[in-house]
Amino acid sequence: MSKILIVDDDPDFIDATRILLEHEGHQVKYVTGGKNGYETVKDIDPDLVILDVMMESILEGVSVSRKMHKNPDTSAIPIVMVSSIAQTDYAALFPTDEYIYIDAYLNKPVDPTMLVKKVRRILA
Amino acid sequence: MQERLDIGFGIGNIVSTSRDVKIIEDLELQVIKLTEENYRLEKLLNARRQFIRLVTHELKSPIAAVENYLKLILQGYINLEDQDKILEKCIIRTCEERQLIDDLLDLGRIEESESLPITPVHLDQVLQSVLSECQDDVIDKNLQLTLEIGEDIPEIQAVPELSKSIWCNLVSNALKYTPDNGEISIGLQARDKALIGWIRDSGIGISTEDQKKIFREFFRGENAKNTSIAGTGLGLVLVKKIVEGLGGEISFESELGVGSTFQFMIPTGNGSRISESIVG
């Protein structure tokens, strides 16, 4: 059983992902919004983070992943980034000139089986 | 009369009349005006682009949530006994999507309100009509509803559908966010060539932090988002635009966990109409 943290601002995405990951036997914690997200990552030291891109600000998730990468205590925690910004104008705002420190990226709506596969692969 | 001017085109002194000077001055003035107008239009265009980006994101969110839940059911991740709960969540998000589309259509109406017919509107009658539509919610939640409508409420000149939207949104918010057995008090009075309307509830309230953003498009208070109540974050935006378009203003007071009071003022007798842009 792994400890997984969901950082997202949509309660239904959190709920659906929690149900799915608990079904897989994981311990799931969640937090709404990126500001609390990074603090919670430091506090609970999860085995994996499911991280939304667009929360209070447009690229808040990217900012959380940067902070996690810079901190030696959190830099090794794998991140699955999720977002619904693909095929919207926001996609153009996604940085293309820097490396984003994530282990997988999934478009919302996230296919449950796909998410389970990614999580299994990363935690293996 | 002639005067000599060096206008600096590198071709030496040019003989110019005072009429030419006037033309140059006029042209310079026009260039300044056009530059300013261009800047204003660019700002408007950027605001509109930003608004469209937000709308796209907000329209996708409820659909993504419903799709997520349905896939969980179809792929066997939800026990049979829990499926009803999940389907109820789907219905809430579907309602949210429908409400969002309705609100966006209203915003579109505000933008086009210059071409919509204005008629005399009795806001007291509009309020009564909105309340009669919400009677079931009041009974279901066992709410104590107090109504104070002053005498001789003058009519205003407005677009009827948009005027109704003021009360619809304020009443709907109060009903949604006031817990069972709570209190709602609604009033409308004529005072100093203006109509003063208010709605006070004993609902969940708005935190001090969220109060700064409450009229921002698609913003919902943290405590509101954490309820299972559907909301678009556009209702108060609509009310503010409509009230201000009628030459009025809206204000509110709120305390987290205690309740909120929204109050608007609309001047009477000027036949004002909504002209504010959707992104203005």
Side-chain angles (χ1 to χ4, degrees), chain B residues 98-129:
Chain B
R98 188 170 43 77
Q99 184 60 54
L100 182 58
I101 292 167
D102 285 346
D103 286 352
L104 287 170
L105 287 171
D106 272 352
L107 276 175
R109 274 194 206 109
I110 294 174
E111 199 184 33
E112 290 163 10
S113 64
E114 284 294 330
S115 60
L116 293 175
I118 55 167
T119 58
V121 172
H122 292 270
L123 274 187
D124 49 338
Q125 291 170 14
V126 175
L127 172 61
Q128 298 277 15
S129 146

PDB file of all heavy atoms in Angstrom, chain B residues 98-129:
ATOM      1  N   ARG B  98     -25.617  23.055 -17.144  1.00  0.00           N
ATOM      2  CA  ARG B  98     -26.802  23.723 -17.723  1.00  0.00           C
ATOM      3  C   ARG B  98     -26.892  25.153 -17.207  1.00  0.00           C
ATOM      4  O   ARG B  98     -27.129  26.097 -17.960  1.00  0.00           O
ATOM      5  CB  ARG B  98     -28.065  22.925 -17.365  1.00  0.00           C
ATOM      6  CG  ARG B  98     -29.318  23.430 -18.070  1.00  0.00           C
ATOM      7  CD  ARG B  98     -30.489  22.484 -17.891  1.00  0.00           C
ATOM      8  NE  ARG B  98     -30.656  21.967 -16.555  1.00  0.00           N
ATOM      9  CZ  ARG B  98     -31.183  22.652 -15.542  1.00  0.00           C
ATOM     10  NH1 ARG B  98     -31.599  23.883 -15.720  1.00  0.00           N
ATOM     11  NH2 ARG B  98     -31.305  22.105 -14.352  1.00  0.00           N
ATOM     12  N   GLN B  99     -26.674  25.326 -15.898  1.00  0.00           N
ATOM     13  CA  GLN B  99     -26.732  26.665 -15.303  1.00  0.00           C
ATOM     14  C   GLN B  99     -25.651  27.570 -15.897  1.00  0.00           C
ATOM     15  O   GLN B  99     -25.871  28.746 -16.165  1.00  0.00           O
ATOM     16  CB  GLN B  99     -26.557  26.560 -13.773  1.00  0.00           C
ATOM     17  CG  GLN B  99     -26.703  27.871 -13.030  1.00  0.00           C
ATOM     18  CD  GLN B  99     -28.073  28.506 -13.215  1.00  0.00           C
ATOM     19  OE1 GLN B  99     -29.078  27.860 -12.968  1.00  0.00           O
ATOM     20  NE2 GLN B  99     -28.105  29.753 -13.677  1.00  0.00           N
ATOM     21  N   LEU B 100     -24.478  26.973 -16.125  1.00  0.00           N
ATOM     22  CA  LEU B 100     -23.367  27.735 -16.691  1.00  0.00           C
ATOM     23  C   LEU B 100     -23.741  28.249 -18.079  1.00  0.00           C
ATOM     24  O   LEU B 100     -23.502  29.415 -18.414  1.00  0.00           O
ATOM     25  CB  LEU B 100     -22.129  26.829 -16.760  1.00  0.00           C
ATOM     26  CG  LEU B 100     -20.834  27.442 -17.278  1.00  0.00           C
ATOM     27  CD1 LEU B 100     -20.421  28.641 -16.450  1.00  0.00           C
ATOM     28  CD2 LEU B 100     -19.716  26.403 -17.240  1.00  0.00           C
ATOM     29  N   ILE B 101     -24.365  27.376 -18.877  1.00  0.00           N
ATOM     30  CA  ILE B 101     -24.778  27.779 -20.231  1.00  0.00           C
ATOM     31  C   ILE B 101     -25.822  28.896 -20.134  1.00  0.00           C
ATOM     32  O   ILE B 101     -25.755  29.892 -20.855  1.00  0.00           O
ATOM     33  CB  ILE B 101     -25.296  26.562 -21.030  1.00  0.00           C
ATOM     34  CG1 ILE B 101     -24.114  25.626 -21.313  1.00  0.00           C
ATOM     35  CG2 ILE B 101     -25.949  26.991 -22.345  1.00  0.00           C
ATOM     36  CD1 ILE B 101     -24.492  24.253 -21.802  1.00  0.00           C
ATOM     37  N   ASP B 102     -26.786  28.748 -19.206  1.00  0.00           N
ATOM     38  CA  ASP B 102     -27.810  29.791 -19.020  1.00  0.00           C
ATOM     39  C   ASP B 102     -27.162  31.121 -18.637  1.00  0.00           C
ATOM     40  O   ASP B 102     -27.527  32.180 -19.165  1.00  0.00           O
ATOM     41  CB  ASP B 102     -28.809  29.383 -17.918  1.00  0.00           C
ATOM     42  CG  ASP B 102     -29.764  28.311 -18.401  1.00  0.00           C
ATOM     43  OD1 ASP B 102     -29.832  28.093 -19.629  1.00  0.00           O
ATOM     44  OD2 ASP B 102     -30.424  27.682 -17.558  1.00  0.00           O
ATOM     45  N   ASP B 103     -26.206  31.062 -17.706  1.00  0.00           N
ATOM     46  CA  ASP B 103     -25.537  32.291 -17.263  1.00  0.00           C
ATOM     47  C   ASP B 103     -24.752  32.938 -18.405  1.00  0.00           C
ATOM     48  O   ASP B 103     -24.724  34.159 -18.551  1.00  0.00           O
ATOM     49  CB  ASP B 103     -24.580  31.995 -16.096  1.00  0.00           C
ATOM     50  CG  ASP B 103     -25.330  31.746 -14.796  1.00  0.00           C
ATOM     51  OD1 ASP B 103     -26.559  31.962 -14.774  1.00  0.00           O
ATOM     52  OD2 ASP B 103     -24.700  31.350 -13.807  1.00  0.00           O
ATOM     53  N   LEU B 104     -24.106  32.095 -19.217  1.00  0.00           N
ATOM     54  CA  LEU B 104     -23.338  32.637 -20.343  1.00  0.00           C
ATOM     55  C   LEU B 104     -24.278  33.295 -21.355  1.00  0.00           C
ATOM     56  O   LEU B 104     -23.958  34.333 -21.931  1.00  0.00           O
ATOM     57  CB  LEU B 104     -22.526  31.525 -21.020  1.00  0.00           C
ATOM     58  CG  LEU B 104     -21.308  31.044 -20.217  1.00  0.00           C
ATOM     59  CD1 LEU B 104     -20.705  29.799 -20.838  1.00  0.00           C
ATOM     60  CD2 LEU B 104     -20.252  32.139 -20.113  1.00  0.00           C
ATOM     61  N   LEU B 105     -25.457  32.688 -21.539  1.00  0.00           N
ATOM     62  CA  LEU B 105     -26.439  33.290 -22.446  1.00  0.00           C
ATOM     63  C   LEU B 105     -26.895  34.645 -21.897  1.00  0.00           C
ATOM     64  O   LEU B 105     -27.059  35.609 -22.644  1.00  0.00           O
ATOM     65  CB  LEU B 105     -27.646  32.355 -22.634  1.00  0.00           C
ATOM     66  CG  LEU B 105     -27.368  31.111 -23.491  1.00  0.00           C
ATOM     67  CD1 LEU B 105     -28.543  30.148 -23.441  1.00  0.00           C
ATOM     68  CD2 LEU B 105     -27.079  31.495 -24.930  1.00  0.00           C
ATOM     69  N   ASP B 106     -27.069  34.717 -20.560  1.00  0.00           N
ATOM     70  CA  ASP B 106     -27.450  35.988 -19.935  1.00  0.00           C
ATOM     71  C   ASP B 106     -26.360  37.043 -20.129  1.00  0.00           C
ATOM     72  O   ASP B 106     -26.649  38.204 -20.405  1.00  0.00           O
ATOM     73  CB  ASP B 106     -27.701  35.795 -18.438  1.00  0.00           C
ATOM     74  CG  ASP B 106     -29.150  35.402 -18.154  1.00  0.00           C
ATOM     75  OD1 ASP B 106     -29.950  35.448 -19.109  1.00  0.00           O
ATOM     76  OD2 ASP B 106     -29.462  35.054 -17.006  1.00  0.00           O
ATOM     77  N   LEU B 107     -25.092  36.598 -19.972  1.00  0.00           N
ATOM     78  CA  LEU B 107     -23.992  37.542 -20.188  1.00  0.00           C
ATOM     79  C   LEU B 107     -24.016  38.068 -21.622  1.00  0.00           C
ATOM     80  O   LEU B 107     -23.767  39.241 -21.874  1.00  0.00           O
ATOM     81  CB  LEU B 107     -22.644  36.870 -19.907  1.00  0.00           C
ATOM     82  CG  LEU B 107     -22.183  36.824 -18.454  1.00  0.00           C
ATOM     83  CD1 LEU B 107     -20.897  36.025 -18.327  1.00  0.00           C
ATOM     84  CD2 LEU B 107     -21.959  38.219 -17.896  1.00  0.00           C
ATOM     85  N   GLY B 108     -24.321  37.156 -22.557  1.00  0.00           N
ATOM     86  CA  GLY B 108     -24.434  37.554 -23.959  1.00  0.00           C
ATOM     87  C   GLY B 108     -25.547  38.569 -24.150  1.00  0.00           C
ATOM     88  O   GLY B 108     -25.399  39.552 -24.876  1.00  0.00           O
ATOM     89  N   ARG B 109     -26.661  38.349 -23.437  1.00  0.00           N
ATOM     90  CA  ARG B 109     -27.798  39.278 -23.522  1.00  0.00           C
ATOM     91  C   ARG B 109     -27.389  40.663 -23.012  1.00  0.00           C
ATOM     92  O   ARG B 109     -27.794  41.678 -23.553  1.00  0.00           O
ATOM     93  CB  ARG B 109     -28.972  38.764 -22.700  1.00  0.00           C
ATOM     94  CG  ARG B 109     -29.822  37.809 -23.479  1.00  0.00           C
ATOM     95  CD  ARG B 109     -31.149  37.567 -22.778  1.00  0.00           C
ATOM     96  NE  ARG B 109     -31.625  36.266 -23.194  1.00  0.00           N
ATOM     97  CZ  ARG B 109     -31.661  35.198 -22.424  1.00  0.00           C
ATOM     98  NH1 ARG B 109     -31.295  35.265 -21.179  1.00  0.00           N
ATOM     99  NH2 ARG B 109     -32.097  34.055 -22.882  1.00  0.00           N
ATOM    100  N   ILE B 110     -26.601  40.680 -21.921  1.00  0.00           N
ATOM    101  CA  ILE B 110     -26.167  41.970 -21.372  1.00  0.00           C
ATOM    102  C   ILE B 110     -25.361  42.717 -22.424  1.00  0.00           C
ATOM    103  O   ILE B 110     -25.535  43.911 -22.649  1.00  0.00           O
ATOM    104  CB  ILE B 110     -25.309  41.778 -20.095  1.00  0.00           C
ATOM    105  CG1 ILE B 110     -26.164  41.186 -18.977  1.00  0.00           C
ATOM    106  CG2 ILE B 110     -24.695  43.094 -19.646  1.00  0.00           C
ATOM    107  CD1 ILE B 110     -25.380  40.828 -17.734  1.00  0.00           C
ATOM    108  N   GLU B 111     -24.488  41.964 -23.117  1.00  0.00           N
ATOM    109  CA  GLU B 111     -23.649  42.603 -24.126  1.00  0.00           C
ATOM    110  C   GLU B 111     -24.484  43.175 -25.266  1.00  0.00           C
ATOM    111  O   GLU B 111     -24.152  44.215 -25.831  1.00  0.00           O
ATOM    112  CB  GLU B 111     -22.645  41.583 -24.675  1.00  0.00           C
ATOM    113  CG  GLU B 111     -21.474  42.254 -25.358  1.00  0.00           C
ATOM    114  CD  GLU B 111     -20.516  41.270 -25.985  1.00  0.00           C
ATOM    115  OE1 GLU B 111     -20.972  40.215 -26.453  1.00  0.00           O
ATOM    116  OE2 GLU B 111     -19.319  41.566 -26.008  1.00  0.00           O
ATOM    117  N   GLU B 112     -25.571  42.474 -25.573  1.00  0.00           N
ATOM    118  CA  GLU B 112     -26.411  42.918 -26.695  1.00  0.00           C
ATOM    119  C   GLU B 112     -27.604  43.736 -26.220  1.00  0.00           C
ATOM    120  O   GLU B 112     -28.547  43.968 -26.974  1.00  0.00           O
ATOM    121  CB  GLU B 112     -26.913  41.695 -27.473  1.00  0.00           C
ATOM    122  CG  GLU B 112     -25.819  41.002 -28.244  1.00  0.00           C
ATOM    123  CD  GLU B 112     -26.219  39.605 -28.658  1.00  0.00           C
ATOM    124  OE1 GLU B 112     -27.401  39.263 -28.514  1.00  0.00           O
ATOM    125  OE2 GLU B 112     -25.345  38.871 -29.111  1.00  0.00           O
ATOM    126  N   SER B 113     -27.574  44.161 -24.958  1.00  0.00           N
ATOM    127  CA  SER B 113     -28.775  44.766 -24.388  1.00  0.00           C
ATOM    128  C   SER B 113     -29.170  46.071 -25.071  1.00  0.00           C
ATOM    129  O   SER B 113     -30.313  46.492 -24.989  1.00  0.00           O
ATOM    130  CB  SER B 113     -28.608  44.997 -22.890  1.00  0.00           C
ATOM    131  OG  SER B 113     -27.585  45.927 -22.683  1.00  0.00           O
ATOM    132  N   GLU B 114     -28.210  46.696 -25.783  1.00  0.00           N
ATOM    133  CA  GLU B 114     -28.535  47.922 -26.519  1.00  0.00           C
ATOM    134  C   GLU B 114     -29.638  47.656 -27.547  1.00  0.00           C
ATOM    135  O   GLU B 114     -30.417  48.534 -27.873  1.00  0.00           O
ATOM    136  CB  GLU B 114     -27.292  48.452 -27.237  1.00  0.00           C
ATOM    137  CG  GLU B 114     -26.283  49.147 -26.323  1.00  0.00           C
ATOM    138  CD  GLU B 114     -26.805  50.437 -25.709  1.00  0.00           C
ATOM    139  OE1 GLU B 114     -27.629  51.087 -26.356  1.00  0.00           O
ATOM    140  OE2 GLU B 114     -26.411  50.747 -24.575  1.00  0.00           O
ATOM    141  N   SER B 115     -29.645  46.403 -28.046  1.00  0.00           N
ATOM    142  CA  SER B 115     -30.635  46.098 -29.088  1.00  0.00           C
ATOM    143  C   SER B 115     -31.881  45.411 -28.522  1.00  0.00           C
ATOM    144  O   SER B 115     -32.795  45.097 -29.262  1.00  0.00           O
ATOM    145  CB  SER B 115     -29.992  45.220 -30.163  1.00  0.00           C
ATOM    146  OG  SER B 115     -29.541  44.030 -29.563  1.00  0.00           O
ATOM    147  N   LEU B 116     -31.881  45.169 -27.201  1.00  0.00           N
ATOM    148  CA  LEU B 116     -33.055  44.512 -26.611  1.00  0.00           C
ATOM    149  C   LEU B 116     -34.085  45.562 -26.184  1.00  0.00           C
ATOM    150  O   LEU B 116     -33.706  46.659 -25.759  1.00  0.00           O
ATOM    151  CB  LEU B 116     -32.639  43.674 -25.397  1.00  0.00           C
ATOM    152  CG  LEU B 116     -31.762  42.454 -25.681  1.00  0.00           C
ATOM    153  CD1 LEU B 116     -31.328  41.808 -24.387  1.00  0.00           C
ATOM    154  CD2 LEU B 116     -32.513  41.437 -26.540  1.00  0.00           C
ATOM    155  N   PRO B 117     -35.370  45.219 -26.298  1.00  0.00           N
ATOM    156  CA  PRO B 117     -36.393  46.214 -25.948  1.00  0.00           C
ATOM    157  C   PRO B 117     -36.443  46.468 -24.441  1.00  0.00           C
ATOM    158  O   PRO B 117     -36.420  45.514 -23.658  1.00  0.00           O
ATOM    159  CB  PRO B 117     -37.690  45.568 -26.431  1.00  0.00           C
ATOM    160  CG  PRO B 117     -37.396  44.120 -26.512  1.00  0.00           C
ATOM    161  CD  PRO B 117     -35.932  43.955 -26.745  1.00  0.00           C
ATOM    162  N   ILE B 118     -36.459  47.738 -24.047  1.00  0.00           N
ATOM    163  CA  ILE B 118     -36.647  48.044 -22.631  1.00  0.00           C
ATOM    164  C   ILE B 118     -38.114  48.424 -22.415  1.00  0.00           C
ATOM    165  O   ILE B 118     -38.745  49.033 -23.273  1.00  0.00           O
ATOM    166  CB  ILE B 118     -35.714  49.159 -22.096  1.00  0.00           C
ATOM    167  CG1 ILE B 118     -35.831  50.432 -22.920  1.00  0.00           C
ATOM    168  CG2 ILE B 118     -34.299  48.723 -21.997  1.00  0.00           C
ATOM    169  CD1 ILE B 118     -35.187  51.621 -22.247  1.00  0.00           C
ATOM    170  N   THR B 119     -38.608  48.014 -21.291  1.00  0.00           N
ATOM    171  CA  THR B 119     -40.004  48.291 -20.957  1.00  0.00           C
ATOM    172  C   THR B 119     -40.063  48.698 -19.484  1.00  0.00           C
ATOM    173  O   THR B 119     -39.102  48.477 -18.745  1.00  0.00           O
ATOM    174  CB  THR B 119     -40.871  47.025 -21.153  1.00  0.00           C
ATOM    175  OG1 THR B 119     -40.335  46.004 -20.329  1.00  0.00           O
ATOM    176  CG2 THR B 119     -40.910  46.558 -22.587  1.00  0.00           C
ATOM    177  N   PRO B 120     -41.188  49.261 -19.055  1.00  0.00           N
ATOM    178  CA  PRO B 120     -41.310  49.528 -17.621  1.00  0.00           C
ATOM    179  C   PRO B 120     -41.307  48.205 -16.855  1.00  0.00           C
ATOM    180  O   PRO B 120     -42.002  47.269 -17.242  1.00  0.00           O
ATOM    181  CB  PRO B 120     -42.674  50.217 -17.495  1.00  0.00           C
ATOM    182  CG  PRO B 120     -43.006  50.676 -18.866  1.00  0.00           C
ATOM    183  CD  PRO B 120     -42.351  49.722 -19.809  1.00  0.00           C
ATOM    184  N   VAL B 121     -40.490  48.133 -15.821  1.00  0.00           N
ATOM    185  CA  VAL B 121     -40.391  46.899 -15.026  1.00  0.00           C
ATOM    186  C   VAL B 121     -40.690  47.231 -13.569  1.00  0.00           C
ATOM    187  O   VAL B 121     -40.153  48.193 -13.020  1.00  0.00           O
ATOM    188  CB  VAL B 121     -38.972  46.287 -15.145  1.00  0.00           C
ATOM    189  CG1 VAL B 121     -38.803  45.121 -14.187  1.00  0.00           C
ATOM    190  CG2 VAL B 121     -38.699  45.832 -16.569  1.00  0.00           C
ATOM    191  N   HIS B 122     -41.561  46.434 -12.970  1.00  0.00           N
ATOM    192  CA  HIS B 122     -41.859  46.600 -11.542  1.00  0.00           C
ATOM    193  C   HIS B 122     -41.049  45.562 -10.782  1.00  0.00           C
ATOM    194  O   HIS B 122     -41.404  44.381 -10.776  1.00  0.00           O
ATOM    195  CB  HIS B 122     -43.361  46.410 -11.283  1.00  0.00           C
ATOM    196  CG  HIS B 122     -44.185  47.507 -11.877  1.00  0.00           C
ATOM    197  ND1 HIS B 122     -44.491  48.654 -11.189  1.00  0.00           N
ATOM    198  CD2 HIS B 122     -44.723  47.635 -13.110  1.00  0.00           C
ATOM    199  CE1 HIS B 122     -45.210  49.451 -11.968  1.00  0.00           C
ATOM    200  NE2 HIS B 122     -45.367  48.852 -13.140  1.00  0.00           N
ATOM    201  N   LEU B 123     -39.967  45.987 -10.166  1.00  0.00           N
ATOM    202  CA  LEU B 123     -39.083  45.029  -9.496  1.00  0.00           C
ATOM    203  C   LEU B 123     -39.775  44.290  -8.347  1.00  0.00           C
ATOM    204  O   LEU B 123     -39.378  43.178  -8.007  1.00  0.00           O
ATOM    205  CB  LEU B 123     -37.836  45.735  -8.976  1.00  0.00           C
ATOM    206  CG  LEU B 123     -36.665  45.894  -9.963  1.00  0.00           C
ATOM    207  CD1 LEU B 123     -35.449  46.459  -9.250  1.00  0.00           C
ATOM    208  CD2 LEU B 123     -36.300  44.595 -10.656  1.00  0.00           C
ATOM    209  N   ASP B 124     -40.803  44.917  -7.737  1.00  0.00           N
ATOM    210  CA  ASP B 124     -41.530  44.231  -6.660  1.00  0.00           C
ATOM    211  C   ASP B 124     -42.310  43.048  -7.216  1.00  0.00           C
ATOM    212  O   ASP B 124     -42.323  41.958  -6.646  1.00  0.00           O
ATOM    213  CB  ASP B 124     -42.448  45.205  -5.911  1.00  0.00           C
ATOM    214  CG  ASP B 124     -43.316  46.032  -6.849  1.00  0.00           C
ATOM    215  OD1 ASP B 124     -42.947  46.186  -8.033  1.00  0.00           O
ATOM    216  OD2 ASP B 124     -44.387  46.515  -6.409  1.00  0.00           O
ATOM    217  N   GLN B 125     -42.916  43.262  -8.407  1.00  0.00           N
ATOM    218  CA  GLN B 125     -43.665  42.155  -9.026  1.00  0.00           C
ATOM    219  C   GLN B 125     -42.719  41.054  -9.500  1.00  0.00           C
ATOM    220  O   GLN B 125     -43.022  39.860  -9.402  1.00  0.00           O
ATOM    221  CB  GLN B 125     -44.493  42.674 -10.201  1.00  0.00           C
ATOM    222  CG  GLN B 125     -45.643  43.563  -9.740  1.00  0.00           C
ATOM    223  CD  GLN B 125     -46.330  44.282 -10.898  1.00  0.00           C
ATOM    224  OE1 GLN B 125     -46.132  43.954 -12.064  1.00  0.00           O
ATOM    225  NE2 GLN B 125     -47.127  45.293 -10.583  1.00  0.00           N
ATOM    226  N   VAL B 126     -41.561  41.480 -10.010  1.00  0.00           N
ATOM    227  CA  VAL B 126     -40.564  40.498 -10.453  1.00  0.00           C
ATOM    228  C   VAL B 126     -40.141  39.634  -9.265  1.00  0.00           C
ATOM    229  O   VAL B 126     -40.055  38.408  -9.363  1.00  0.00           O
ATOM    230  CB  VAL B 126     -39.331  41.213 -11.071  1.00  0.00           C
ATOM    231  CG1 VAL B 126     -38.232  40.211 -11.412  1.00  0.00           C
ATOM    232  CG2 VAL B 126     -39.725  41.991 -12.311  1.00  0.00           C
ATOM    233  N   LEU B 127     -39.919  40.301  -8.114  1.00  0.00           N
ATOM    234  CA  LEU B 127     -39.514  39.572  -6.912  1.00  0.00           C
ATOM    235  C   LEU B 127     -40.585  38.557  -6.498  1.00  0.00           C
ATOM    236  O   LEU B 127     -40.270  37.406  -6.197  1.00  0.00           O
ATOM    237  CB  LEU B 127     -39.237  40.573  -5.777  1.00  0.00           C
ATOM    238  CG  LEU B 127     -38.993  39.982  -4.395  1.00  0.00           C
ATOM    239  CD1 LEU B 127     -37.780  39.064  -4.400  1.00  0.00           C
ATOM    240  CD2 LEU B 127     -38.792  41.089  -3.355  1.00  0.00           C
ATOM    241  N   GLN B 128     -41.836  39.009  -6.505  1.00  0.00           N
ATOM    242  CA  GLN B 128     -42.935  38.098  -6.121  1.00  0.00           C
ATOM    243  C   GLN B 128     -42.959  36.883  -7.044  1.00  0.00           C
ATOM    244  O   GLN B 128     -43.154  35.757  -6.600  1.00  0.00           O
ATOM    245  CB  GLN B 128     -44.289  38.822  -6.224  1.00  0.00           C
ATOM    246  CG  GLN B 128     -44.433  40.021  -5.301  1.00  0.00           C
ATOM    247  CD  GLN B 128     -44.848  39.626  -3.882  1.00  0.00           C
ATOM    248  OE1 GLN B 128     -44.770  38.460  -3.518  1.00  0.00           O
ATOM    249  NE2 GLN B 128     -45.259  40.595  -3.083  1.00  0.00           N
ATOM    250  N   SER B 129     -42.743  37.133  -8.337  1.00  0.00           N
ATOM    251  CA  SER B 129     -42.779  36.036  -9.300  1.00  0.00           C
ATOM    252  C   SER B 129     -41.623  35.069  -9.064  1.00  0.00           C
ATOM    253  O   SER B 129     -41.799  33.847  -9.101  1.00  0.00           O
ATOM    254  CB  SER B 129     -42.755  36.638 -10.719  1.00  0.00           C
ATOM    255  OG  SER B 129     -42.069  35.836 -11.593  1.00  0.00           O
TER     256      SER B 129
END
